[in-house]
Amino acid sequence: IQNWYYDGSSQDVRQIGMFVNLDLDYQGRYIASALVRRDGASLFGAANRWQTYGRASFAWRASEEAWFNVDQISDLKFRASVGQAGNRPSFAAQYETFNIGAGGVLTPNQLGNRDLRPEVSTETEIGVDVEIMSKYALTLTNSRNVINDQILPVPPPASAGFNTQWRNAGQLTNNTFEVSLNL
């Protein structure tokens, strides 16, 4: 009696990314930055191989203005930014998978999804930094993060014959307020 057992896997993942970035600073008072990134990945569904992300920020150092004359405040900066990042699906999420049961019977497990996109996280942040007498620093920051197109396992229609399918099916929102005092 001979028993055969095979356990192994192979994954071929291809990805490419490119970006353009611009940073500007005018007299140390007005600071701006912008970036656009384009990613392509074989982990995205076949119908959505590319995704574009962006980021922009602006800061104004009011304490550097000629009219600013509060001696106790060494530095006063207002800032705002918005940026995106993505999370790729797992390798198997876009493909059909089957289980091998008793007697070598194939049973459907996961329905593939050629329309699967990456989930995209967009964070918006506003804040103010105050330095007092060049000794004390206060930072106030409010940020809001929204993750769209969350990649979640959901049950497909019963007629499909599969147990689950990965889909862009959710949204997650987070609000944060931070206060920091450095002495």
Side-chain angles (χ1 to χ4, degrees):
I1 296 178
Q2 230 178 2
N3 291 325
W4 293 90
Y5 178 76
Y6 172 76
D7 184 17
S9 65
S10 174
Q11 296 179 354
D12 184 15
V13 176
R14 296 175 188 227
Q15 58 190 24
I16 186 171
M18 57 201 102
F19 69 91
V20 174
N21 187 50
L22 175 65
D23 294 318
L24 302 170
D25 183 326
Y26 180 71
Q27 297 181 346
R29 284 185 272 187
Y30 309 103
I31 304 160
S33 179
L35 178 133
V36 175
R37 191 176 91 225
R38 182 93 165 135
D39 288 349
S42 61
L43 294 177
F44 303 161
N48 294 295
R49 291 287 190 219
W50 291 91
Q51 179 69 37
T52 303
Y53 306 99
R55 154 178 79 77
S57 64
F58 180 77
W60 172 45
R61 294 185 65 208
S63 56
E64 296 298 313
E65 296 288 354
W67 51 262
F68 191 88
N69 59 0
V70 180
D71 293 337
Q72 293 82 4
I73 298 179
S74 317
D75 190 24
L76 176 61
K77 178 171 68 173
F78 298 94
R79 54 189 164 73
S81 64
V82 62
Q84 293 179 318
N87 187 26
R88 299 179 312 213
S90 69
F91 182 82
Q94 62 181 304
Y95 302 108
E96 281 79 21
T97 62
F98 298 86
N99 293 328
I100 300 175
V105 176
L106 287 177
T107 56
N109 182 35
Q110 175 184 291
L111 180 61
N113 186 352
R114 64 176 273 108
D115 295 320
L116 201 57
R117 299 177 307 278
E119 50 187 37
V120 177
S121 171
T122 304
E123 184 170 339
T124 305
E125 183 177 294
I126 59 171
V128 61
D129 303 327
V130 182
E131 186 178 283
I132 301 167
M133 298 183 294
S134 298
K135 292 182 182 182
Y136 312 104
L138 175 66
T139 301
L140 304 171
T141 304
N142 179 258
S143 65
R144 176 181 167 86
N145 189 19
V146 178
I147 300 173
N148 286 311
D149 294 331
Q150 274 190 295
I151 301 167
L152 301 171
V154 298
S159 62
F162 290 85
N163 298 326
T164 188
Q165 180 183 39
W166 290 97
R167 289 192 189 163
N168 297 101
Q171 183 184 68
L172 179 66
T173 301
N174 180 31
N175 289 302
T176 305
F177 188 76
E178 300 172 9
V179 177
S180 172
L181 179 63
N182 298 311
L183 306 173

